[in-house]
């Protein structure tokens, strides 16, 4: 009786090449999914504005915020070149989405592209992501550095991403650092404030809260925590510059965020984050397909929305 053949696990360039068949965009699928998402979002925002009952308005705003997370994934994938690769219409539309969500192109490209190229490197973990310290780094840190570190990783900072991560971190901070390059950050804040003011004038303050503030607060809170937990989970690995390599960082430093079908839809499959980090040009709707087809992608570190998993991530 012969032993079954052992499958040799691929690494490095060979593994990245194995994902190439899945980075082919299906343009009609991209547009169809975007149009459906925009229609659902528009319907919820209309309900938030026009419902005669304020509890329904607020509930509609919460649901709109969840759908805005999905809309952000279209923006995220478009800037990665995974979808809408040659569409000027989509380029303009995604630029507006970035302004609407206070995550303008210049800032997102600068910080997020760096994050993908340096994911889980200890020395540069705080650029485009939440900072990470080893115990040795913490022992060398000054009290002020430790206070800043704890503040940046505090649950209030994460779930208060509306102000901390997006308004200050993505719009105002980059402008202060480089006004010429990131001038559109304050523009996005002005647009956001103007939306609140105009809607409050036309529909009242409840309408402004339900249609702008609540959706933004929900979307940024969920988005900030997702980004945190995708790179801060109990089994993750980090390396110094000498021990770091791209594929190991993708597979061992980026989580598989387990969700039910509805949350997968709302988050645009971003829970398949290890697959996304291995090949960021795979459209979000093909990430599950790639994971199912490639054995090396099927044993990632995992987390979920279960309360104990959330607590475990926040304790790190």
């Amino acid at each position: 009786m012969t032993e079954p053949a052992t499958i040799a696990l691929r690494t490095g360039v060979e593994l990245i090449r194995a994902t190439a068949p899945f980075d082919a965009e299906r343009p009609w699928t991209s547009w169809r999914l975007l149009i459906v998402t925009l229609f659902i979002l528009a319907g919820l925002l209309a309900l938030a504005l026009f419902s005669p009952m304020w509890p329904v308005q607020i509930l509609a705003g919460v649901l709109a915020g969840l759908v805005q997370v999905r809309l952000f994934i279209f923006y995220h994938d478009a800037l990665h070149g995974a979808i809408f690769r040659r569409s000027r219409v989509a380029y303009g539309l995604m630029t507006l989405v970035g302004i609407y969500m206070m995550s303008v192109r210049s800032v997102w490209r600068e910080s997020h592209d760096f994050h993908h190229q340096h994911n889980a490197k200890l020395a540069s973990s705080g650029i485009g992501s939440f900072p990470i310290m080893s115990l040795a780094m913490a022992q060398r840190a000054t009290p002020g550095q430790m206070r800043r570190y704890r503040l940046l990783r505090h649950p209030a900072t994460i779930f208060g991403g509306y102000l901390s991560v997006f308004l200050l971190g993505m719009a105002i901070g980059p402008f202060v650092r480089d006004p010429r390059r990131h001038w559109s950050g304050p523009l996005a804040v002005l647009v956001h404030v103007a939306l609140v003011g105009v809607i409050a004038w036309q529909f009242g303050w409840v309408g402004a809260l339900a249609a702008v503030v609540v959706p933004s607060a929900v979307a940024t809170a969920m988005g900030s925590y997702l980004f945190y937990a995708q790179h801060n989970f109990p089994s993750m690995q980090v390396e110094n510059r000498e021990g770091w390599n791209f594929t190991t960082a993708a597979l061992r430093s980026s989580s598989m965020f387990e969700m039910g079908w509805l949350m997968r839809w709302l988050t645009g499959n971003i829970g398949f984050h290890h697959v996304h980090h291995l090949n960021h040009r795979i459209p979000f709707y093909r990430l599950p397909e790639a994971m199912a087809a490639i054995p090396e992608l099927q044993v990632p570190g995992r987390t979920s929305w279960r309360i104990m998993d959330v607590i475990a991530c926040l304790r790190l």
Side-chain angles (χ1 to χ4, degrees), residues 127-145:
I127 302 175
S129 185
F130 291 90
I132 297 172
M133 276 189 184
S134 67
L135 291 175
M137 292 168 67
Q139 289 171 354
R140 296 193 301 267
T142 66
Q145 288 170 331

Side-chain angles (χ1 to χ4, degrees), residues 4 6 21 28 48 84 97 125 141 169 171-172 194 206-207 231 238-239 316:
T6 301
W28 286 109
F84 305 136
V97 168
S125 62
I172 302 301
V206 173
H231 300 287
V238 292
E239 294 286 351
L316 295 172

Side-chain angles (χ1 to χ4, degrees), residues 43 53 55 63 66 74 79 118 120 146 151 158 164 179 188 190 217 234 264 282 295 306:
M53 297 178 290
L63 296 175
L66 296 176
F74 285 91
L79 266 63
H118 302 272
M146 286 306 302
L151 175 63
I158 297 168
S164 59
L190 288 174
R264 285 198 301 271
I282 300 176
R306 288 187 290 271

